[in-house]
Amino acid sequence: MTRGGFVALAGRPNVGKSTFTNAVVGEKVAIVSDRPQTTRRAIRGVHQSGDCQIVLVDLPGVQRPRDELTARMARRVQQELEGSDAALLMLSAEQGVGPGDRFIAAALESAKVPVTIAVNKVDRCTRAALVPVLAEAAELVPGAEVFPISARRGAGVPELVEHLAASMPEGPFMFAAGASTDQPRELLLAELIREAVIRRTFQELPHAVEVVVEELEYPREGLARVRALVWVETDSQKGILIGAHGRMIKAIGTAARRELQRALGVQVHLELSVRVRRDWRADADLLDRLGIT
Ligand SMILES: Nc1nc2c(ncn2[C@@H]2O[C@H](COP(=O)(O)OP(=O)(O)OP(=O)(O)O)[C@@H](O)[C@H]2O)c(=O)[nH]1
Ligand SMILES: [Mg+2]
């Protein structure tokens, strides 16, 4: 008899949910950055060992919504939590337990899913500093087990995965053997390009950017051609992204191309254009088309 189910990842922005997802899947299915609110959609990543398949549902960080985009992200978190077999509440050992974590813990209790807690980034603090954080974490959700981990270095991750696996219900596998995600390839590529943009921009710009892959084709074996649009909201943002003599967009393209090549396993020819798309974050139809629902 096989076992399997969905584990939703809830936590404040930037605590390391996507880093953990990639570590457990063993492949990059979600982009990562040190800016909050990097993840915008629910991303399913599959881990299989023996007769158990865990589908991790990486989610946007929980934060007060400011616009249609962030309102949808918050709604998505709530919906995915309700549809999951278990939830993993992730916090940062470096930041400790705060009001945001208590808010999320309360939401998890009302979603009535079994909760496990991960205190991530233990590599960033001393053992003495970690002890009180673990104690406070244990009080967030009564009965929830707490696992100190480093998603980046892997410490504590196998123990946590084993614990999650043990709680999965009996049932058929949800994904075919070998599948790592249900994310369409074009979307993964668009996200990898967005990651390259986020990592080179500051302040409001990372939040104002969305990437759409318009074309993915293979003109010959071993070569993919990707044409993508990078949306920003204002002309000045466009100017920044292009940079003096096009240097910025060139650097972004070089970094993104490397990531796309790794993801596709072939040489990539990447064409990027920057477009101004005012208020895309407030446009419900556009967000629907982007799959941010
Ligand atoms: N030192 C350290 N850094 C980590 C660890 N896990 C994640 N990070 C870093 O923390 C930052 C945020 O990581 P993400 O995985 O993007 O965080 P997230 O929770 O998915 O963030 P959102 O998608 O914005 O909600 C990145 O710079 C990661 O490299 C860890 O175990 N140790
Ligand atoms: Mg994320």
Side-chain angles (χ1 to χ4, degrees):
M1 189 63 187
T2 58
R3 287 176 306 116
F6 293 90
V7 178
L9 261 84
R12 285 194 270 164
N14 219 31
V15 296
K17 300 178 293 300
S18 299
T19 305
F20 176 76
T21 302
N22 293 337
V24 174
V25 173
E27 198 178 298
K28 185 158 178 176
V29 295
I31 62 168
V32 165
S33 88
D34 60 2
R35 313 300 152 75
Q37 300 226 301
T38 298
T39 304
R40 290 176 174 162
R41 300 166 180 81
I43 299 167
R44 275 160 255 280
V46 185
H47 170 90
Q48 194 169 322
S49 75
D51 62 355
C52 183
Q53 188 179 71
I54 303 175
V55 182
L56 288 179
V57 187
D58 184 23
L59 291 169
V62 176
Q63 222 181 33
R64 203 184 307 272
R66 313 179 289 279
D67 50 25
E68 179 64 18
L69 169 66
T70 43
R72 283 174 180 231
M73 286 157 58
R75 214 159 57 212
R76 171 62 37 209
V77 172
Q78 198 58 40
Q79 284 172 357
E80 296 292 338
L81 284 174
E82 281 159 16
S84 294
D85 300 286
L88 181 63
L89 168 55
M90 185 167 288
L91 16 135
S92 154
E94 196 179 25
Q95 292 182 321
V97 176
D101 302 305
R102 293 197 184 87
F103 173 82
I104 299 164
L108 291 176
E109 281 194 85
S110 63
K112 302 213 177 347
V113 279
V115 179
T116 302
I117 297 175
V119 176
N120 188 31
K121 307 197 189 185
V122 296
D123 56 285
R124 278 289 184 79
C125 71
T126 63
R127 196 169 281 268
L130 181 60
V131 171
V133 178
L134 293 177
E136 280 183 65
E139 284 174 9
L140 278 174
V141 181
E145 267 195 65
V146 179
F147 290 80
I149 66 165
S150 170
R152 187 186 271 177
R153 304 215 178 144
V157 173
E159 292 83 351
L160 171 53
V161 171
E162 204 169 299
H163 171 82
L164 293 172
S167 73
M168 290 293 99
E170 286 190 349
F173 286 168
M174 246 75 67
F175 282 78
S180 56
T181 181
D182 61 350
Q183 205 172 195
R185 177 148 292 183
E186 280 83 352
L187 184 54
L188 174 65
L189 301 182
E191 287 286 273
L192 291 170
I193 297 167
R194 188 164 66 88
E195 183 185 65
V197 175
I198 294 175
R199 289 183 171 192
R200 279 161 193 79
T201 52
F202 302 95
Q203 291 162 1
E204 186 51 26
L205 235 174
H207 301 287
V209 168
E210 179 64 5
V211 177
V212 182
V213 165
E214 294 232 300
E215 205 178 322
L216 165 62
E217 52 166 33
Y218 297 88
R220 59 175 163 80
E221 214 187 299
L223 177 70
R225 204 171 73 83
V226 179
R227 199 161 55 76
L229 298 179
V230 181
W231 292 357
V232 290
E233 291 193 315
T234 65
D235 290 316
S236 91
Q237 290 167 347
K238 179 174 174 176
I240 293 170
L241 263 201
I242 292 173
H245 307 291
R247 274 201 285 269
M248 177 69 133
I249 195 69
K250 186 145 187 263
I252 289 169
T254 304
R257 196 164 59 85
R258 214 175 295 131
E259 285 290 319
L260 300 193
Q261 289 183 165
R262 189 172 308 152
L264 294 175
V266 295
Q267 286 290 103
V268 170
H269 178 83
L270 174 63
E271 261 174 62
L272 288 181
S273 1
V274 184
R275 293 278 167 83
V276 176
R277 195 99 211 213
R278 276 175 229 291
D279 291 329
W280 68 264
R281 283 185 280 180
D283 188 329
D285 290 341
L286 221 45
L287 291 169
D288 282 346
R289 269 188 276 147
L290 291 170
I292 302 176
T293 52

